[in-house]
Amino acid sequence: MIRLLTIDGYRKRAQALALEGLEQGVAVRMAETLCEGVRYLLDAPVSLVLAEAGVLRLAKGEQARLFEVVAPGVPVILTVDAGAKVEDLVDLELQGFRVMSRPFALRDLLAKVERPGKTVPSRGGARARVEALCG
């Protein structure tokens, strides 16, 4: 089963994705903040992370490294508004993120990822880094 973590401050959008996931056999966990999301990654396995680009709290490169420490090998897709600048999208992709414009269907999201990964819970060094970021 694919386990998707969505990090999005807009609850209705996250809930709609979760309902779509139920219909397609995808388990969706919702987090409203980046800190809530990375804490969840420390304790539960996921196959895919979907985060709203606006929730990033660190520089893009640092954020990409944090996700790699907390969820090694798990694809991270950032969502952006449909009218986002091409330069911004390229910058995000150069930092290691996959990028999708909203709106999108869950099947399109899953198609963008060749093979979702799987995290293993509780990595000690990652936990300290998350606590330093989130308090």
Side-chain angles (χ1 to χ4, degrees):
M1 171 181 266
I2 294 176
R3 296 175 190 271
L4 168 71
L5 170 64
T6 181
I7 306 171
D8 193 332
Y10 186 58
R11 192 162 203 48
K12 284 187 178 188
R13 184 169 49 215
Q15 288 173 335
L17 183 67
L19 289 174
E20 190 176 353
L22 282 175
E23 294 171 358
Q24 296 186 36
V26 175
V28 178
R29 167 67 186 223
M30 298 180 295
E32 290 186 16
T33 67
L34 177 65
C35 288
E36 183 184 348
V38 293
R39 282 187 175 122
Y40 179 78
L41 288 170
L42 290 172
D43 296 321
V46 301
S47 311
L48 179 63
V49 176
L50 177 69
E52 163 56 40
V55 303
L56 299 183
R57 294 177 56 175
L58 303 171
K60 294 173 188 109
E62 289 179 48
Q63 191 67 61
R65 284 189 293 280
L66 176 65
F67 275 120
E68 186 56 34
V69 168
V70 177
V74 174
V76 177
I77 298 177
L78 296 183
T79 60
V80 297
D81 292 326
K85 295 179 186 175
V86 173
E87 298 85 18
D88 294 338
L89 302 178
V90 170
D91 187 36
L92 289 168
E93 290 196 352
L94 287 174
Q95 296 300 327
F97 295 110
R98 295 183 178 127
V99 181
M100 285 194 78
S101 295
R102 288 185 303 272
F104 58 85
L106 182 60
R107 69 183 175 295
D108 296 334
L109 171 73
L110 296 175
K112 188 168 179 84
V113 180
E114 294 173 16
R115 197 177 65 187
K118 184 175 181 183
T119 62
V120 290
S122 189
R123 286 156 296 282
R127 187 170 303 279
R129 203 159 167 198
V130 168
E131 290 306 318
L133 171 68
C134 299

